Amino acid sequence: MDAVEKANTERQKRWAKDKKVGEGTYAVVYKGREIATGRKVAIKKIKVGQFKDGLDMSAIREVKFLRELKHQNVIELLDVFSSKTNLNLVLEFLDTDLELVIKDRSLVFLPADIKSWMAMTFRGLEFCHRNFILHRDLKPNNLLIASDGQLKIADFGLARDFADPGYKMTCQVITRWYRPPELLFGCRYYSTAVDIWSVGCIFAELMLRTPYLPGESDMDQLKTIFRALGTPTEEDWPGHTKLPDYVPVGQFPRTPLRELFTAATPDCLNLLSKCLIYEPRRRIGAKEALNHPYFFAHPYPSHPSKLPKPAIKNTLPLEEVDGNVDLSGPGPAVKANPPNKLKRKHSSDDLNGRSIARKLDFTQHTGDR
Amino acid sequence: MTTGSTTTDASSSKLSLYEGSTQYRHWRFSAEQLAQARASLNATAVSAIGEKFEAGSSSGVSFLSADEEVLLVKFYLAKCSQLCIHLGFPEEVEATAMTYLKRFYLKNTVMDFHPKDIMLTAVFLATKTTNHPVSLESYAQRIPKTQPSDILGHEFLVAQSLGFDFAVWHAHRALWGLWLDVQNLPDVNMDELRNVYESAVQHVRAARLTDVELIYTPSQISLTSFALASPALAAAWARSKIPTEPEPRVLAVIEPIKQMIASQGAPPEVEAVRAVDRRLRLCKNPEKVVGSNAYMKKQEETERKAEEKRKRKAAEVQKAMEDADPFGSPLARDTNLDDDDDDDD
């Protein structure tokens, strides 16, 4: 046996798959454990054989970035091994995700809890951005929660390095409700600000306990945003009318955030508003956000172990680690199903986004040296 | 550990970003370590392949030495660069593919896998990992006598050999930063500077044919390339960065890199490579030669093992069915059935 093959077998032997917990078109997720220690893990088995272009892009992205990123607030990739034509990602096992937490009506959130989740999200994101990585799919069900309450950013299947100036990127990324207006207007040159907008939407959702900007189509998404935050003027966002897919979607007045977020403190609303600034260059950065007075004011963030958590059910919502699966998943109609079906409903638009993103990526292979 | 891992977090310790990278952690060697690793890889390969030859027939075979393997790989590093230029791929793809090829042959021998094949897979994989994907079909079409399956056949092996460390930090990126930086030096002449940069780029490209990236950091290599193009500018830049040191130490650090680029930065002589390649035909692992006796034997062996495993699994399923409640096992148990990897295709 070749040395490389042998090393792979050795690695494979370190992990045991115990139970299948989720299946999609091109990945199966197992609950498993590290044999030597009994530590719980999630094993995501990606079926590679069926792709005509070999290892698929979202698997490659996920492996590439998670191999490099080690941070308390980013999901840890413990190992990678192959079995026949499958790629197996061994990920740390995480109990739940922020979407399930938000949806669990029996849980009450204190302002300090929201502050804690936001701090952890910004910390993880700051680390990604410091490493020149854009996540491009932040939403509550990609923010996983460990048993000790730590929040971890997961699903790097759409992530990429910052592009060099002059390199176009696809604008078909980020699940619609969390997608910033510049992408909806077809912006092909963008940066970390796209992730910040998503975090702003998540922040609002934590306070409202329901998605803040739930557009029904890309066009409706813009309308939904403008209805909430007012139609941007040329002064608010210079040059936005020149963006490739710009269309006027009507004039809506700006309503102060305070009217919707009645219980929030001024610091809190100030940070939220800075995440949702139209002009991407003026939107707050992750590092700056971490230094925002909101995080230093009373009440202080809850300790992660004290955060509200759904009661552990028998069927573990492990599918979050397999966010990039199931292209044929049930459409928006599915609502009254177990937790992971709710997620499916959400993912249906991002899945569209993914397939488009992949297609677009294939067209942009010629660059100048 | 989930919670105990904070000490290894780049965020919470004093590690630089580069020190947190897989490149720093897994692919950094001393020159001696490299030589040692290659020698032992070669020795293991020679003895393993020797056994694969039919009894007695290996006695007259002259296997390749570690240096000869390196020479052959280097030839294909140069080819790899040409191929990427020919296909119009960005420099990022070219540099990444060359790194993959070098790393691959720190884990494998050319006597098992010929670099001309691995090169094609390394380039294809690099297009994907650097986010410049092309369709396999169009890629294969543009390379003579190559089928998509030739390229995909090795993809897993290459990815595995790389330990799935796909991200690579390149000297040409560091050089770009340096180029932006030197423009801020006082009294620079932009035309002159541009010439220096262009020439430094050539030195970075030459450096890709050498082992420097396995020993030094991208920033060290980029500064070396800059120094090769203009020692005065490189020194001025170093002094501006480290004003406390009138003779910045980094200028001494890069001396051996200069030597390596100067002495090894050119493609090898075709004649020498041809001689090695000719010998390789006689000493390559017979198990990898389609149609040879050893190849057949290995195939049969693999097939036999797979068959055994299938039978064992069938028996288990059979037993599970016999033991189980005729109306089906409780729902939760179903999920236990498919935890083997055999069912995949």
Side-chain angles (χ1 to χ4, degrees):
Chain A
M1 203 191 276
D2 302 328
V4 169
E5 219 175 296
K6 217 174 265 169
N8 180 63
T9 313
E10 293 292 301
R11 283 218 297 276
Q12 185 170 358
K13 282 190 189 146
R14 282 183 58 199
W15 312 100
K17 290 173 183 159
D18 288 330
K19 186 175 170 192
K20 192 196 274 188
V21 288
E23 173 149 25
T25 330
Y26 70 113
V28 183
V29 182
Y30 299 88
K31 188 178 165 181
R33 74 203 127 82
E34 183 172 24
I35 289 170
T37 64
R39 173 186 183 181
K40 280 195 282 182
V41 296
I43 301 177
K44 178 171 173 179
K45 182 173 92 176
I46 300 170
K47 304 169 192 165
V48 174
Q50 65 192 69
F51 297 110
K52 74 170 177 51
D53 290 309
L55 283 171
D56 108 294
M57 282 300 288
S58 70
I60 282 186
R61 286 172 169 147
E62 184 140 32
V63 173
K64 174 180 170 185
F65 296 121
L66 289 181
R67 289 292 282 177
E68 305 296 318
L69 295 173
K70 291 266 178 293
H71 185 277
Q72 199 171 21
N73 300 117
V74 175
I75 191 170
E76 187 177 359
L77 177 63
L78 300 162
D79 205 352
V80 186
F81 62 88
S82 53
S83 50
K84 289 205 175 164
T85 58
N86 293 320
L87 190 61
N88 293 267
L89 313 190
V90 183
L91 295 151
E92 63 178 314
F93 183 85
L94 298 163
D95 293 322
T96 185
D97 68 60
L98 200 57
E99 181 181 348
L100 293 172
V101 175
I102 291 172
K103 290 207 160 132
D104 188 333
R105 290 288 160 188
S106 67
L107 302 176
V108 175
F109 297 177
L110 301 173
D113 299 336
I114 295 176
K115 195 173 286 188
S116 181
W117 283 315
M118 288 310 292
M120 292 188 283
T121 306
F122 274 125
R123 258 185 235 135
L125 185 61
E126 188 276 327
F127 187 67
C128 297
H129 289 174
R130 187 152 29 109
N131 280 278
F132 310 101
I133 295 164
L134 304 179
H135 185 280
R136 306 200 301 178
D137 199 15
L138 291 176
K139 54 182 171 180
N141 83 343
N142 281 339
L143 301 178
L144 309 192
I145 312 283
S147 56
D148 63 356
Q150 284 290 343
L151 177 150
K152 319 248 173 186
I153 298 179
D155 196 348
F156 282 72
L158 274 177
R160 65 161 293 158
D161 309 89
F162 297 2
D164 282 329
Y167 259 109
K168 282 188 175 181
M169 292 182 274
T170 170
C171 54
Q172 299 292 331
V173 288
I174 306 184
T175 303
R176 189 195 301 129
W177 298 348
Y178 305 91
R179 199 182 300 157
E182 65 268 27
L183 294 186
L184 293 160
F185 280 146
C187 201
R188 306 295 301 276
Y189 305 96
Y190 52 84
S191 183
T192 52
V194 298
D195 286 334
I196 297 291
W197 179 276
S198 309
V199 175
C201 297
I202 296 165
F203 194 3
E205 188 167 338
L206 281 168
M207 291 188 268
L208 299 171
R209 300 295 292 266
T210 184
Y212 177 43
L213 302 167
E216 282 167 11
S217 63
D218 287 2
M219 192 57 71
D220 185 57
Q221 185 63 37
L222 277 166
K223 218 178 236 176
T224 308
I225 294 171
F226 295 166
R227 222 180 271 129
L229 297 164
T231 306
T233 61
E234 185 62 23
E235 198 175 292
D236 292 334
W237 186 2
H240 72 280
T241 55
K242 306 280 191 310
L243 290 173
D245 301 339
Y246 173 78
V247 272
V249 289
Q251 288 300 317
F252 300 95
R254 179 177 207 104
T255 21
L257 289 173
R258 189 176 338 108
E259 287 183 17
L260 184 59
F261 303 91
T262 45
T265 63
D267 279 335
C268 173
L269 289 187
N270 183 276
L271 177 57
L272 176 63
S273 67
K274 284 185 168 164
C275 295
L276 298 174
I277 289 174
Y278 282 127
E279 153 82 277
R281 274 170 296 192
R282 287 176 39 224
R283 215 171 283 156
I284 198 165
K287 191 167 183 186
E288 202 188 332
L290 284 170
N291 287 313
H292 191 278
Y294 168 67
F295 291 114
F296 299 93
H298 279 289
Y300 293 139
S302 309
H303 189 274
S305 63
K306 300 284 190 300
L307 289 167
K309 272 181 83 172
I312 300 278
K313 295 184 196 84
N314 255 345
T315 45
L316 286 150
L318 236 190
E319 296 208 8
E320 58 283 289
V321 289
D322 108 311
N324 49 2
V325 302
D326 203 351
L327 292 155
S328 60
V334 185
K335 279 201 172 123
N337 269 323
N340 52 24
K341 295 291 190 207
L342 283 172
K343 172 198 137 107
R344 284 287 171 249
K345 175 198 153 265
H346 259 205
S347 336
S348 61
D349 26 350
D350 90 292
L351 288 168
N352 284 335
R354 276 171 206 286
S355 49
I356 294 165
R358 232 172 266 134
K359 263 181 228 148
L360 287 175
D361 280 342
F362 277 95
T363 63
Q364 48 167 254
H365 63 270
T366 46
D368 7 18
R369 287 175 44 84
Chain B
M1 293 296 296
T2 320
T3 49
S5 64
T6 41
T7 44
T8 57
D9 285 1
S11 57
S12 47
S13 66
K14 299 284 175 247
L15 284 184
S16 70
L17 286 184
Y18 183 67
E19 288 170 313
S21 70
T22 51
Q23 177 159 328
Y24 181 88
R25 290 183 287 132
H26 305 155
W27 300 100
R28 193 176 44 111
F29 309 88
S30 67
E32 296 73 32
Q33 283 170 330
L34 268 185
Q36 171 86 56
R38 285 171 174 151
S40 83
L41 183 69
N42 178 265
T44 314
V46 167
S47 82
I49 297 171
E51 287 171 15
K52 306 280 164 58
F53 280 92
E54 282 158 43
S57 68
S58 75
S59 49
V61 176
S62 112
F63 290 101
L64 299 190
S65 70
D67 286 345
E68 287 164 333
E69 292 203 48
V70 170
L71 182 80
L72 193 65
V73 172
K74 186 171 177 182
F75 179 77
Y76 284 95
L77 284 169
K79 281 269 178 221
C80 187
S81 165
Q82 288 168 4
L83 175 71
C84 290
I85 293 168
H86 171 71
L87 296 176
F89 290 159
E91 186 146 17
E92 193 73 13
V93 174
E94 173 186 337
T96 303
M98 290 170 79
T99 302
Y100 288 176
L101 201 58
K102 278 179 218 172
R103 292 182 182 179
F104 180 88
Y105 286 108
L106 292 177
K107 306 280 176 189
N108 298 281
T109 165
V110 301
M111 293 178 276
D112 277 345
F113 305 102
H114 200 289
K116 72 169 186 279
D117 303 322
I118 299 304
M119 168 187 80
L120 298 178
T121 304
V123 171
F124 181 64
L125 186 60
T127 62
K128 293 194 279 187
T129 59
T130 58
N131 211 30
H132 298 280
V134 292
S135 89
L136 176 64
E137 211 170 304
S138 74
Y139 174 69
Q141 258 170 16
R142 299 180 65 186
I143 302 165
K145 289 184 276 180
T146 303
Q147 295 303 314
S149 57
D150 301 338
I151 293 155
L152 274 199
H154 288 118
E155 190 179 44
F156 237 70
L157 173 74
V158 173
Q160 260 177 30
S161 302
L162 300 174
F164 300 97
D165 294 339
F166 295 138
V168 183
W169 297 56
H170 292 299
H172 72 271
R173 302 307 312 273
L175 182 63
W176 178 255
L178 204 53
W179 151 243
L180 297 179
D181 243 15
V182 292
Q183 295 174 41
N184 291 323
L185 290 177
D187 312 318
V188 287
N189 171 336
M190 274 310 283
D191 286 334
E192 188 200 324
L193 211 53
R194 198 166 286 117
N195 288 336
V196 170
Y197 173 65
E198 307 267 307
S199 138
V201 168
Q202 294 311 318
H203 290 298
V204 163
R205 290 181 182 154
R208 284 192 202 127
L209 296 174
T210 75
D211 284 338
V212 293
E213 66 172 301
L214 300 169
I215 305 173
Y216 299 96
T217 67
S219 54
Q220 289 170 336
I221 299 166
S222 69
L223 182 60
T224 310
S225 302
F226 213 81
L228 284 167
S230 166
L233 266 171
W237 176 85
R239 274 193 290 271
S240 79
K241 282 284 163 184
I242 320 163
T244 51
E245 294 180 39
E247 278 307 313
R249 273 177 307 142
V250 66
L251 295 174
V253 170
I254 64 175
E255 278 308 314
I257 315 180
K258 276 189 190 167
Q259 299 297 325
M260 284 178 76
I261 298 178
S263 63
Q264 304 162 25
E269 295 273 336
V270 180
E271 269 317 309
V273 175
R274 202 166 279 158
V276 170
D277 198 39
R278 213 173 290 130
R279 279 182 37 228
L280 177 57
R281 257 173 260 163
L282 302 174
C283 69
K284 66 185 166 190
N285 187 345
E287 278 185 3
K288 311 277 178 191
V289 181
V290 179
S292 74
N293 285 342
Y295 178 83
M296 303 290 209
K297 222 166 111 191
K298 170 107 190 213
Q299 289 294 99
E300 277 166 23
E301 178 71 3
T302 316
E303 189 47 41
R304 193 181 55 75
K305 279 194 182 142
E307 181 62 33
E308 250 171 37
K309 206 166 173 185
R310 266 197 300 273
K311 276 193 189 140
R312 192 161 29 106
K313 206 172 168 190
E316 273 165 22
V317 171
Q318 179 74 27
K319 186 163 186 309
M321 278 166 67
E322 282 164 3
D323 291 352
D325 185 325
F327 297 103
S329 49
L331 279 175
R333 282 186 54 195
D334 280 358
T335 49
N336 282 324
L337 274 178
D338 179 32
D339 61 353
D340 203 338
D341 292 305
D342 268 359
D343 50 296
D344 348 287
D345 18 45

